[in-house]
Amino acid sequence: MKKRYILLSLAVLLAGCQPKPLPQEQLTRHDAEINAIIAQLSLEEKVEMLHSKTNMSSEGVPRLNIQDIKYCDGPFGIREEGVPNGFMSAGWTTDSATYFPTGSALAATWSEDLAYQYGIGMGTEARRRGKDIILGPAVNIQRLPVGGRTYEYLSEDPVLAAMLGTSYVKGVQDAGTAACIKHFALNNQEMNRGSVNVVCDERTMREIYLKPFEVMVRKGGAMAVMPAYNKVNGDYCSENEHLLNEILRGEWGFKGMTVSDWGGTHSTMGAALHGLDVQMTGDTYLGPALIDSVKAGKVPESVVDDKVREILRVRFAVEAIPEDKCNLETASTPESRATAYEVARRSVVLLKNEGNILPIKKEVKKIAVIGRNATALTQSGGMGAGVKAPYEITPLQGLLNRAPEGVEINYAPAYKDYLGMFARWRGPQFLEEHPEIAAEINAPADPAMLAEAVALAADADLVLYFIGTNKYIETEGSDRTDIDLPLCQNIIAEALTDVNPNVIGVVISGGPCDLSTVEPILPGLVQGWWNGLEGGNALADILFGNIAPSGKLPFTFPVKLADSPAYALDNYPQKAEVEGDLFGNLYRQDVKGQKRAPMGPAHYASTAYYSEGPLVGYRWFDTKSVPVLYAFGHGLSYVPFSYADMKANKASYGADDVIKVKFRLGNQGSMPAEEVAQLYVHRVDGQVSWPVKELKAFRRVALAAGETKTVTLEIPVSELRYWDEAANDWALEHGTIELLLGSASDDIRQTVTVKI
Ligand code: BGC
């Protein structure tokens, strides 16, 4: 009896010690059942699953009652329903959804918790819309300040992007939906995105550009991956053996499905043999031509079976929602809207606060709100995914909602809407052919509008001047041609400051703007992002001082565009002609059953040389000692924070250790506030070439007025490894490193030196 009891306890103990299956392994739970299904399918049935059925679905197995897979954009709200064969609105009334702050705003929170809640919100609303896979998060590294999709992406730093992306994926998948992480990989520019060949060394790829994807696959358990439009080192991402088969499946153990970007499949043999499961959209390659290739013995049927297996793993992991159980009312839930607010309030970055001009003082009774961006909607516009939100609180509406009694708010737009939609996307030739649009972009300030704004400013105690871009200027399918403030915003700033010294600039944009003209003349500057349907309320709460700002920049604001690495090294823009966007040219006619549009000259392909190597963003500016306007990680508060007593738990670490850094963080002000503590490493005696510093850990900490907390940050030593090209593996360099703790990459407060 006693012996049996001991054996039983031992078994229980051992079972407890069994490592939990890795996130990717969990996808294989139903493989036996799935293999039995595959054995029953005809080649035709299998291939039917490998391409689009409609613009946003792919076929299941109707005969066996296996449901179609339904996709949706992603990434900052569930996109409105499109017609079956395209993106035109289907005209539904039940397809509105929460408009969450876009990627750069989410990243500015530096909060894994919020990224998780954001994912839960997205996943839940996708379920309510009957969708199985969210095409997101989008996590490409922001290599170029002009990048058209900077607003969707998270950061120029791989650790920040990886940690937030992973929490987002977990949230989406815990809510029962699959995340399709995108765009894999090195899709860091929109210019010629459909054909550009990115030439990048392996070390840079592994340490910078692939890092977020690796963590989202390995730790986040992402169930789907979207190969990008571009080529990497010569091969399209949708048929890139190295990326899809060797790295993603081989090294990272990915067990889910790959879905090409829309119009991003280029051949039957390439896609079939080198890692693509589903062609979106159309059936040109993974349709009848694939059946022929199998029959001709060019593609083994087992390759088709592998693809079907990967798709069915996702189908088994995500419950299909019956049509009568979804789309009954708006997808937007009160919980998601609350999350959108929480993200927005923690994303707003206080860039500059001379003389503590913010928060708005009690004495301020008359506020002039100037600038069309105070009222412009950001939920959709331009090219690419947007959201049909049930409402959107604009900055002006937020200020009106939150203004204390007795405060008068007056508004003047000062500059017009930017109507040159897609003009930049269509390129310089288009502008030549459409002088009216070119004239509009370059028009001088409208005298009547300027006069109205100046008069309001002169008569106000305080001016809130809304500047920045909009969804037509920053848009998918094209990069900005510069990062200048558009629409005469600099000239208007000068006119406003001539009549009122108290002008605060609020930048509404997804990416960085050149603020070098307004920065010296405006005492206050705030980065307000495209901040979701509650953005206006969150912004107003910060401006009025109901809460302290706590956002931190997820990318650098350079002094001028020419300082940034790809420009400084003359690697961007590439000198090839722009022939319009692949997606824009194709999608309307590339859905099954329709004719394929002509590709245009396939030879406009350009090459993007990533010769700056890993020196992207602050890694470049720091290492090359190039001054910046606002550094990575920068963001002020209304209170001062103290950093003290920084200690590492050991003096010397081995390869399997975790560095634990403890310190005291204090709020020295008189209101509650949150600080994002950031831990960087600097290699003191590195023989391998390293950037001056690299972010390795961070934590958002909430502190009551006057409160001090002990905070611990951890860096697994394995995260200090570099990619050794000769060994084709990760390697650890031994030596001395300095741990740099601070409030921003250029505001290091404490350091400790340790040995590895
Ligand atoms: C974009 C993807 C998007 C897809 C479907 C493509 O043009 O690059 O991010 O998910 O369209 O809308």
Side-chain angles (χ1 to χ4, degrees), residues 56 73 79 87 135 149 182-183 193 226 229 261-262 476 583:
M56 281 287 165
D73 280 306
R79 191 174 189 168
F87 289 95
L135 304 173
R149 299 181 86 168
K182 67 187 187 184
H183 308 87
R193 64 176 168 161
M226 181 190 287
Y229 281 133
D261 202 346
W262 270 228
E476 186 181 322
F583 170 83

Side-chain angles (χ1 to χ4, degrees), residues 671-694:
M671 70 186 294
E674 296 184 12
E675 165 71 327
V676 178
Q678 303 163 33
L679 188 59
Y680 297 82
V681 298
H682 164 69
R683 275 85 175 179
V684 176
D685 51 5
Q687 298 302 303
V688 179
S689 72
W690 292 106
V692 160
K693 66 168 102 68
E694 293 188 290

